[in-house]
Amino acid sequence: MTRPARRLAAATGDLEAIQALLEAALAPKGIGVTVSQRRESLLVSLWCPTAVPAAIVLTLLARELIHWPGYAHRNFLITAYQDSKALWEGVLDLRSRHELQRLAKGEHLRQSLSIPPKEEFGISVQPLNTQNWQAIAAGLGLSLLLLASEQVTFLLSPLITLVHEMGHAVTAWFFGYPAISAFDFRYGGGVTLHGDRAGVIVLLIYTGLLALAYFYRRRRLTLTCLGVFTLLYTLVAFSPVHEMLFVAMGHGFELIVAVIFLYRALSGWGCRYPIEGPLYGMVGFFIVFFNMRLAWQLQFNPVFRERYLMGKGGIDHDFVRLARDFFHTDLATVVGLYGFFVVLTPAIALLVYRYRRLMVSLFARLFIVEG
């Protein structure tokens, strides 16, 4: 079979053609290849005679993959071995044509060679390169420019409202309460209304957990994690804790989205064009600084704090409810705790980026089944 014919077969998911093409691409390094299917992903095991850096392998693979007319899989889960010992693990996203082209040009190779891989406490970490710092610096600068203008901040505040109310709604549905979010055109901001707990929703959640337990019935570690999660979910769902989470996850979901955006700025995950990284960083830092300003004003601006304590339309704001109904403390304590988490948000995004290989490895170990 000719190489163009093999590429056509590989694009349809032919494992023999895929393995032959990848072996040919990695032949200069003497690397053997074994492939197997895992749902929409392809598990690629590499057998290296020497310790070959991940950047070199990814570059060689990308130079082959850009010639394929299409892809039957969403990504490659790659594990490199030397003498049966795992050297490194990685994920090659086949949905991002731009990323494959960047790898094929050797940009990733040059950046990785400038900053060699590191280990901390025996765990492989992803170092920061020049492109990471540029994306973060650009996002930080753009977010400060946005916040410098009250008019622009006002125009972007609906984004914060949308994320905030989505956090309330997702939490409500997660614990069995039908909920709907909307903008509050009378008093400003947003509002999320939910009804009584629907038994059918709770039943569907437990049915889903039971289905997962059956699917992973031969994986003891996965079953243990599912059992612990089910126990914790039950304890929270049928105690006042779930009500506290419903109130808290408005602002909490804002920080989660900020972490996701900052991570995408650092990693370039899912970005098709170079400008997307700084834009993700801009939105992520905008959310962080917006909440940082809110916490500061509630702590040190008496006028702003009194207006916040008044609520809107007869409804108390989230921090007031948390302080009065759940933590039984003053507003300053709750706001101070929230400010601490706001400051931690960029650090959490950085940790997720640096230890993403470990998290991908753990996820694959728990939830990806061969066959």
Side-chain angles (χ1 to χ4, degrees), residues 142-154:
L142 289 171
S143 67
L144 292 175
L145 286 176
L146 295 179
L147 286 164
S149 170
E150 289 295 331
Q151 290 80 7
V152 176
T153 301
F154 176 77

Side-chain angles (χ1 to χ4, degrees), residues 61-74:
L61 291 176
R63 288 175 180 173
E64 169 60 35
L65 290 170
I66 59 174
H67 297 293
W68 293 15
Y71 307 107
H73 304 89
R74 298 180 63 181

Side-chain angles (χ1 to χ4, degrees), residues 198-212:
V200 65
I201 299 177
V202 178
L203 180 61
L204 286 174
I205 292 172
Y206 279 105
T207 301
L209 291 171
L210 185 62
L212 286 174

